[in-house]
Amino acid sequence: QVQLVESGGGLVQTGGSLRLSCAASGRTFSRDDMGWFRQAPGKEREFVASINWTGGRITLRNSVKGRFTISRDNAKNTVYLQMNSLKPEDTAVYYCNAPLVSSSPGDYWGQGTQVTVSS
């Protein structure tokens, strides 16, 4: 059974930082793109970031460029999202996904982790 398990969400003030982790089990994604999506209340789920299997190609949505970074550890089958300079509009449930094709989600989703940024 394939599972993606996110961790690291929480409540933070504007300008603060959080680091999300997503650990995969049940199959390896070491040759696949992995990424993050988010969904705010009343809004559709949206793409946030993706990383290819080597880590050499990273894609970020425009609104998080310069603030968020994505990385991965293939030996641990884990992808990370470092979020700095957080803003209230970053408040959402963040979901890990794999294997992405371009910025389109693949078959596997994590359960989501809540990120709340207070003003």
Side-chain angles (χ1 to χ4, degrees):
Q1 180 183 1
V2 178
Q3 285 189 312
L4 301 177
V5 179
E6 300 103 334
S7 60
L11 173 64
V12 65
Q13 291 184 334
T14 296
S17 298
L18 286 173
R19 187 191 193 210
L20 305 184
S21 300
C22 171
S25 61
R27 64 160 276 185
T28 179
F29 292 100
S30 61
R31 297 286 182 169
D32 296 301
D33 291 14
M34 300 182 74
W36 294 89
F37 291 74
R38 68 186 181 187
Q39 187 167 20
K43 295 187 177 181
E44 294 187 352
R45 193 171 297 188
E46 63 184 18
F47 168 81
V48 177
S50 66
I51 185 169
N52 78 325
W53 70 278
T54 67
R57 186 182 73 248
I58 289 172
T59 304
L60 298 166
R61 72 177 296 108
N62 286 338
S63 62
V64 306
K65 287 180 180 178
R67 301 188 297 121
F68 290 13
T69 59
I70 185 171
S71 60
R72 65 190 295 164
D73 185 337
N74 288 338
K76 295 182 178 180
N77 218 16
T78 299
V79 63
Y80 306 95
L81 185 67
Q82 177 67 44
M83 306 185 294
N84 299 326
S85 301
L86 282 160
K87 303 176 180 180
E89 51 264 44
D90 295 317
T91 294
V93 178
Y94 283 71
Y95 297 91
C96 177
N97 180 269
L100 278 79
V101 177
S102 297
S103 299
S104 297
D107 292 336
Y108 302 105
W109 292 95
Q111 81 285 358
T113 186
Q114 177 70 47
V115 171
T116 303
V117 185
S118 63
S119 57

